[in-house]
Amino acid sequence: MADLEQVEARAIELIDRYLPGAGWRFRWDNSRRRAGVCIFDTREIHASRPLAVRWNAQRCEQVILHEIAHALAGPRAGHGRAWVRVAESIGCRRERYDDAGLARESAPIVGCCPNGHEFFRYRMPSGPRSCSLCHRGFDARFLITWRRRAAQ
Ligand SMILES: [Zn+2]
Ligand SMILES: [Zn+2]
C-alpha cells in the first residue's frame, strides 16, 4: 500500500520535471471509477485517493505519469498516437492502466454469459442483457447472469 504523502510528493516532483513553470498542480479526489484525470481548464492533475491507498507506489506513479502525458499532449490528443509517444517518452507503461482494466479490477458487479465471457459494471443492469460477444443484438440464449462481488 502506498504512503499517500510520498505519492503526493512524487507527483509534485514529476509535475515539476515534465511541466515546469506551467502552473500545473496536483490534487487528490475521491473517484472510484478512474485512477486519475487531467483537467486542462484549471491545470490540475488529480489522482484518486481511495484507489491510491490500495495500490503500491509504483502503480500510483504510473497513474500520475499517464495524466502528465495528457497535459503534455494536449486535450485533443486523447489516447491517440501523439499521446502514446509522449507517454512512452516519460516512462508510462500505458497498457496496464486503462479504464477497462480498472473496471475489471474494481467494479462491484460481474456478469457472465453461458459461454464464460465476463462483463464488469458499476451498477446492476436493470433489465436482461445478452452477451454481445456471443451474438450481436439481444439473444435470450446468451443471457448474462450478474452477481455482486465483495468490495475490494
Ligand atoms: Zn488517459
Ligand atoms: Zn458470451
Side-chain angles (χ1 to χ4, degrees), residues 78-98:
H79 294 119
R81 268 205 211 151
W83 177 81
V84 169
R85 203 162 37 231
V86 172
E88 286 176 348
S89 77
I90 64 174
C92 184
R93 299 184 303 277
R94 70 199 155 91
E95 69 282 356
R96 289 167 53 200
Y97 304 101
D98 60 4

Side-chain angles (χ1 to χ4, degrees), residues 35-64:
V37 66
C38 172
I39 302 173
F40 289 92
D41 287 352
T42 53
R43 301 205 160 201
E44 286 174 6
I45 284 172
H46 292 198
S48 158
R49 193 193 304 266
L51 293 176
V53 294
R54 305 196 326 236
W55 294 346
N56 65 23
Q58 236 178 350
R59 179 157 182 190
C60 292
E61 182 173 318
Q62 283 295 311
V63 168
I64 289 152

Side-chain angles (χ1 to χ4, degrees), residues 66-67 70 79 83:
H66 179 113
E67 302 311 332
H70 280 305
H79 294 119
W83 177 81

Side-chain angles (χ1 to χ4, degrees), residues 113 117 131 134:
C113 86
H117 296 126
C131 178
C134 290

Side-chain angles (χ1 to χ4, degrees), residues 113-117 119 131-135 142:
C113 86
N115 293 322
H117 296 126
F119 299 86
C131 178
S132 56
L133 298 172
C134 290
H135 191 268
F142 304 115

